[in-house]
Amino acid sequence: MDLGNISTAYRVTYDTKITDRTQTSFDNIAQFNGGEATADVTTEKRSSIEKEGRPDKSYNPDVINWTIDVNKSLSEIEEAVVTDTLDEGLSLKEGSIKIYNLVWENGEFVEGSEVSPADYSVYEGKLSFRLGDINSAYRIKYSTDIMDETKTEFKNNATFGGETASDTVEIKRGTLIGKRGKAHIGYSEKYIDWTIDVNTRESEMKDAVVEDSFGPGQSFHEGSVEVYKLESD
């Protein structure tokens, strides 16, 4: 760049396009009138794949909703494939698969428009998502029904471009029966409040019956029984 005859200071600014998206360190050398200056710039390499699972309820969930973000590094990939392995005890919820574009806005990726199902294919036998040739980021969403109510955690692994992401979802469940008591000792009255919680795991039952046996030194207080329906979050 020819500045001609000068006697004052100048600042030169310009942009370069990043052509190698796998590269994270860049340097340029500037020369001026026998002097030289070097500048190095380091960029953050964004992830190739991220995965997260969330139960539909904090207590006794029926469904786990899964999210997979791929290619936040914005790499150019031919015939991109995302493969997901479901844990035992889970079943893919019919019609739950959705794929969205991820758009870079204000320094972060946000969920954009939904990708037409005509632009990708899904093989449910192995839960394989074929995205074709890509150079942008995507978000895959789907849900699984919990078929095994005895398990307290589920782990899924997703693979993309040789990298793997996983997440473990912990399941909080109730119990078949629980009981507690609290004594009230006064000048004229002495009694115990008993509380029995049943089926806090919210299982389906027919002809359910609660029986309670109390030990010596107690007598049943007529009219004290109350039954409430418990609601989970």
Side-chain angles (χ1 to χ4, degrees), residues 10-122:
Y10 289 83
R11 174 173 291 165
V12 179
T13 64
Y14 65 96
D15 297 329
T16 57
K17 291 184 178 180
I18 297 176
T19 57
D20 185 354
R21 294 182 177 179
T22 65
Q23 188 173 331
T24 58
S25 180
F26 304 87
D27 64 84
N28 278 8
I29 300 174
Q31 296 175 333
F32 174 71
N33 201 32
E36 186 175 277
T38 302
D40 297 309
V41 176
T42 300
T43 62
E44 179 184 358
K45 181 175 173 57
R46 301 187 183 94
S47 62
S48 294
I49 183 168
E50 300 171 0
K51 181 166 187 178
E52 181 183 49
R54 291 181 178 272
D56 63 334
K57 296 183 292 184
S58 59
Y59 208 63
N60 297 327
D62 302 308
V63 173
I64 299 176
N65 299 310
W66 301 94
T67 301
I68 307 173
D69 289 350
V70 296
N71 203 33
K72 285 184 175 179
S73 58
L74 303 179
S75 302
E76 294 186 2
I77 301 175
E78 296 181 354
E79 299 181 0
V81 178
V82 181
T83 302
D84 199 356
T85 305
L86 299 184
D87 202 352
E88 292 184 5
L90 296 177
S91 176
L92 179 65
K93 196 172 187 65
E94 186 177 356
S96 66
I97 296 174
K98 303 286 185 183
I99 299 182
Y100 299 88
N101 292 292
L102 286 181
V103 183
W104 184 255
E105 290 185 1
N106 300 320
E108 64 178 353
F109 281 103
V110 296
E111 191 174 293
S113 60
E114 182 178 352
V115 178
S116 170
D119 294 335
Y120 63 89
S121 57
V122 179

Side-chain angles (χ1 to χ4, degrees), residues 183-191:
H184 298 266
I185 308 299
Y187 182 78
S188 59
E189 281 190 307
K190 298 178 177 61
Y191 62 95

